[in-house]
Amino acid sequence: MLAKIDEQVKNNPVVLYMKGTPQMPSCGFSSRTAAALVETGEKFAFVNVLADQGIYQFLPKYQDWPTFPQLYIDGELQGGCDITLELAESGELKALMAAANAKVDQA
């Protein structure tokens, strides 16, 4: 299962592990995080951890981050809801996402 998570993180420039989906979030933290990503206008992938019990169980062990949501940009854990909202407020979130997406677009 950790290999599957590693593949998702490395094969998506921006991936959000969340409870629910951006359109139908299942918790307030996931809702606010997904909304911040949507507001950037940048592309991102998401994984509904409630739909895959293996990911739900093993993701906290992947980068030793115990809670959801978890945002990865360019293969690196950025953090959860609070950190994502801080990045969005500073404008850094859009810049990080754009840079990660640009690498894929150039490939």
Side-chain angles (χ1 to χ4, degrees), residues 56-103:
Y56 184 84
Q57 182 179 355
F58 284 95
L59 185 63
K61 297 175 174 99
Y62 180 68
Q63 289 287 321
D64 198 26
W65 190 270
T67 59
F68 303 103
Q70 292 186 23
L71 175 63
Y72 289 83
I73 299 177
D74 205 12
E76 289 188 33
L77 175 64
Q78 299 301 310
C81 180
D82 291 345
I83 292 169
T84 302
L85 295 179
E86 288 171 16
L87 289 170
E89 207 171 288
S90 72
E92 200 175 345
L93 181 63
K94 181 172 176 58
L96 288 168
M97 291 174 69
N101 283 324
K103 287 181 183 179

Side-chain angles (χ1 to χ4, degrees), residues 18 25 27-37 39 69 81-82 84-85:
M18 64 181 292
C27 87
F29 296 114
S30 289
S31 176
R32 290 193 294 278
T33 304
L37 296 182
E39 285 175 20
C81 180
D82 291 345
T84 302
L85 295 179

Side-chain angles (χ1 to χ4, degrees), residues 5-60:
I5 294 168
D6 194 54
E7 185 178 308
Q8 291 172 336
V9 167
K10 290 181 177 165
N11 289 337
N12 291 290
V14 182
V15 62
L16 175 64
Y17 289 90
M18 64 181 292
K19 292 181 178 177
T21 68
Q23 297 77 22
M24 293 278 297
S26 296
C27 87
F29 296 114
S30 289
S31 176
R32 290 193 294 278
T33 304
L37 296 182
V38 169
E39 285 175 20
T40 68
E42 291 291 328
K43 295 182 293 189
F44 69 95
F46 70 91
V47 176
N48 178 357
V49 299
L50 299 177
D52 189 326
Q53 283 302 306
I55 289 180
Y56 184 84
Q57 182 179 355
F58 284 95
L59 185 63

